[in-house]
Amino acid sequence: TADLLAREVDFFTIGTNARLNAGTIQSFGATNGQTIVESGGEVSLTASYTTAENFSIAGAGSGGAASALTVSSGQTVIFNGNISLTAGASVGGAGGGDHNGALSGSFDLNKVGAGHWQLGGNNTNFSGNVTIAAGSFRVISANALGTNATVVTVSNVANANFAFRDSVTISGKTLTLKGDNAATSGSFTAFSVYTNTSLQSQGVWDGPVILDGTTIGMGGNAGGSSITILGEVSGTATTLNIRGGGLTQLSGSNSFNAAVVVDPNVSAS
């Protein structure tokens, strides 16, 4: 793998088996340019900063990194520029990525790595599906997932989740939760509201939810937070575990057969 150390250029093309190590805000040059990550290439973001760089990305990274944009452990990068998918692409890493610009493309987006990835833009030109293989995938805007009938899949709920980061309604999408939350504890759930002492989020999911596993956990992670599901909840899971301290409301015409277990200090209706 070729490692490139960026300094004073404003336009990059990262080819197959190449890696750009971007350790400072100046890594992408003196002005906000364009970085193209071809399939098999990778941008490794190794520090916390805010960038307005625009990215076009494809593929799952170089050298087994599993992501085209990889944020290192303990770091958070705020992406204020646009990200365009030129093919199916993976993002993530052990750190966090907060994307406030526009996401576009008709290809699928995969979230990998133990950190978080957050979408906050008006992503009306994104029409792909989303798979969350690991870590947390958060949304903070009504059009974060685009305007088409996007399918969001949490492929292993034991170590991955989908979360609202703010009070927002997501409509016309399908959420599929796969795996088993039985071994996880506390507020960790497959579907949750991410909140803290200064932000009590109320998330509304107006679309179907499919429970495709054994024990599936969902709920807020603090009192004052809530999840409301307006669509049908269906699937073959044996247990639906409401946990986390907030309120979970199932308001649709539901067809699931799972036993519902509500943890102490949690509200459900």
Side-chain angles (χ1 to χ4, degrees), residues 156-236:
N156 182 5
V157 300
N159 60 14
N161 90 317
F162 174 76
F164 294 107
R165 180 60 179 86
D166 207 345
S167 295
V168 64
T169 297
I170 301 291
S171 301
K173 319 299 181 190
T174 299
L175 177 62
T176 300
L177 307 174
K178 296 176 175 284
D180 187 7
N181 271 139
T184 61
S185 60
S187 62
F188 186 86
T189 63
F191 183 25
S192 67
V193 175
Y194 175 81
T195 189
N196 55 39
T197 56
S198 61
L199 181 62
Q200 303 299 306
S201 301
Q202 286 79 48
V204 178
W205 183 266
D206 189 3
V209 176
I210 301 170
L211 310 178
D212 184 14
T214 49
T215 296
I216 302 294
M218 66 173 60
N221 71 354
S225 64
S226 69
I227 289 177
T228 300
I229 300 174
L230 300 179
E232 178 189 5
V233 180
S234 64
T236 59

Side-chain angles (χ1 to χ4, degrees), residues 45-253:
L45 302 114
T46 58
S48 295
Y49 51 84
T50 298
T51 177
E53 184 80 357
N54 298 308
F55 294 88
S56 295
I57 64 173
S62 68
S67 55
L69 298 177
T70 304
V71 183
S72 297
S73 178
Q75 312 302 320
T76 298
V77 176
I78 299 173
F79 297 88
N80 287 335
N82 300 326
I83 297 177
S84 173
L85 306 180
T86 57
S90 297
V91 295
D98 295 349
H99 182 208
N100 298 322
L103 175 69
S104 63
S106 58
F107 303 97
D108 293 346
L109 181 67
N110 300 311
K111 163 65 180 73
V112 298
H116 77 266
W117 195 267
Q118 182 170 287
L119 295 182
N122 185 26
N123 301 328
T124 55
N125 291 320
F126 171 64
S127 59
N129 297 319
V130 175
T131 298
I132 308 161
S136 180
F137 189 91
R138 306 170 184 171
V139 294
I140 61 172
S141 66
N143 288 330
L145 298 172
T147 56
N148 286 7
T150 301
V151 176
V152 178
T153 301
V154 181
S155 60
N156 182 5
V157 300
N159 60 14
N161 90 317
F162 174 76
F164 294 107
R165 180 60 179 86
D166 207 345
S167 295
V168 64
T169 297
I170 301 291
S171 301
K173 319 299 181 190
T174 299
L175 177 62
T176 300
L177 307 174
K178 296 176 175 284
D180 187 7
N181 271 139
T184 61
S185 60
S187 62
F188 186 86
T189 63
F191 183 25
S192 67
V193 175
Y194 175 81
T195 189
N196 55 39
T197 56
S198 61
L199 181 62
Q200 303 299 306
S201 301
Q202 286 79 48
V204 178
W205 183 266
D206 189 3
V209 176
I210 301 170
L211 310 178
D212 184 14
T214 49
T215 296
I216 302 294
M218 66 173 60
N221 71 354
S225 64
S226 69
I227 289 177
T228 300
I229 300 174
L230 300 179
E232 178 189 5
V233 180
S234 64
T236 59
T238 55
T239 303
L240 175 59
N241 184 194
I242 307 299
R243 52 171 79 164
L247 170 66
T248 299
Q249 295 188 107
L250 307 181
S251 300
S253 179

